[in-house]
Amino acid sequence: MLKLSKKADYGLMALKYLAEHPETQALSAKDVADAYGIPAQLLAKILQRMTKTGLLRSHAGMNGGYALARDAREISAYEVIHAIDGPLFITSCTKGAKLCDLTPSCTIKEPLARVNESIAEVLKSISIYDLAEHEHVGEHEAHGLVLLTR
Amino acid sequence: MLKLSKKADYGLMALKYLAEHPETQALSAKDVADAYGIPAQLLAKILQRMTKTGLLRSHAGMNGGYALARDAREISAYEVIHAIDGPLFITSCTKGAKLCDLTPSCTIKEPLARVNESIAEVLKSISIYDLAEHEHVGEHEAHGLVLLTR
DNA sequence: GAAATGCCGACAGAATTGGTCGTATACTGA
DNA sequence: TCAGTATACGACCAATTCTGTCGGCATTTC
């Protein structure tokens, strides 16, 4: 429970991969899928989703593919997850429309909404850049991450 | 995505309810289920789970039921969720046994594990007591929660 | 011993997620 | 302008997970 969907995982992996290959103009869905052994068509759909929400730029045709729409530092894990899995988040009674049908049950919701916020904050504080490996500087970067997310 | 299971929700609600009725010796699964309109048998199983992990004390027979095993302040949301939904947590490739079967894919895991930690910390910082309503002192308590979970 | 309750495993139905297929559209280069 | 490589997108099937139910048993009280 409380785990990311595979799609979100794939999405994060893909962005990470793109972030690690800034030299290339664009990478096709297949390129990335092959790199990680992800079903190509599925990943394609995921990338398309992210394109629609402005995280990626796409280009059809030969040598086409996807590229980050912004600097990896400017794309948060939160955005990725949100783009792929929708509005998201804790507390199964997704508020918005009507409350938890039955009874004034969900008195729990309100406090949990705060937990929600906290988690969102954590995810927002992580960027794709943080996920990517930066040529063995890893030692230090990793340390930074610890502080970031603590 | 990333939402609590209904079971976890139910569990939290039930504990909250118990915390709000400290005067009674024990409340039966049915009592609680009726109070919130939750399927009684399902809730029963959930309460049993929590009993096994030591969050609740149970007592069979007439006027039996469940009661918190400790002060509400000493039971965290984390414990509840953990008891109900198992070991839990982010990153779909549940590490433990083998890694993500395919390729050295999950280079993402490591950084996400930290996110995981952060979320766990947040959940650990919330107690059942925080969820319960304390006779209109609410204003202040709620404020405290905000700070807590920032 | 009967009623109320907890305990537990098995299982069925529902919902969600993961993954595939087919087709249309766009771009590139020869 | 044609062939090949890509993305775009909707429909759909398959697999898994989650929710909820049932049945039988154990324990306690009256």
Side-chain angles (χ1 to χ4, degrees), chain A residues 1 9 16 92 107 118 149, chain B residues 1 9 16 85 92 107 118 149:
Chain A
M1 253 313 86
D9 258 12
K16 176 196 175 223
S92 37
T107 19
S118 308
T149 68
Chain B
M1 250 315 84
D9 259 12
K16 175 194 176 228
D85 285 340
S92 36
T107 20
S118 309
T149 68

Side-chain angles (χ1 to χ4, degrees), chain A residues 4 10 15 45 47 93 102 105-106 108 117 122 129 137:
Chain A
L4 256 42
Y10 292 164
L15 289 208
K45 274 208 303 201
L47 295 177
C93 307
L102 306 167
S105 339
C106 298
I108 278 211
E117 280 267 328
V122 172
Y129 179 85
V137 196

Side-chain angles (χ1 to χ4, degrees), chain A residues 1-6 9 11-14 16 20 34-38 77 81 85 88-94 102-112 114-115 117-119 121-123 126 130-131 133 142-143 145-146 149-150, chain B residues 1-6 8-9 11-14 16 20 34-38 77 81 85 88-94 102-112 114-115 117-119 122-123 126 130-131 133 142-143 145-146 149-150:
Chain A
M1 253 313 86
L2 213 55
K3 69 178 193 297
L4 256 42
S5 67
K6 269 191 188 174
D9 258 12
L12 288 169
M13 285 192 254
K16 176 196 175 223
E20 287 170 348
D34 288 351
Y36 290 115
I38 299 172
I81 296 170
D85 286 337
L88 82 135
F89 275 28
I90 280 211
T91 177
S92 37
C93 307
T94 51
L102 306 167
T103 59
S105 339
C106 298
T107 19
I108 278 211
K109 292 308 135 41
E110 198 228 326
L112 282 191
R114 297 188 215 291
V115 177
E117 280 267 328
S118 308
I119 294 176
E121 285 309 317
V122 172
L123 290 175
I126 304 270
D130 295 327
L131 297 182
E133 288 164 20
H143 189 57
L145 226 192
V146 173
T149 68
R150 183 195 46 82
Chain B
M1 250 315 84
L2 212 56
K3 69 179 194 296
L4 257 42
S5 67
K6 269 192 187 173
D9 259 12
L12 288 170
M13 285 191 257
K16 175 194 176 228
E20 287 170 347
D34 287 352
Y36 290 115
I38 298 173
I81 296 170
D85 285 340
L88 83 136
F89 277 29
I90 279 212
T91 176
S92 36
C93 307
T94 51
L102 308 166
T103 59
S105 337
C106 298
T107 20
I108 277 210
K109 294 306 136 40
E110 198 228 325
L112 283 191
R114 298 188 215 290
V115 177
E117 280 268 326
S118 309
I119 295 176
V122 172
L123 290 174
I126 305 268
D130 296 326
L131 297 182
E133 286 164 22
H143 189 58
L145 228 193
V146 173
T149 68
R150 172 210 57 82

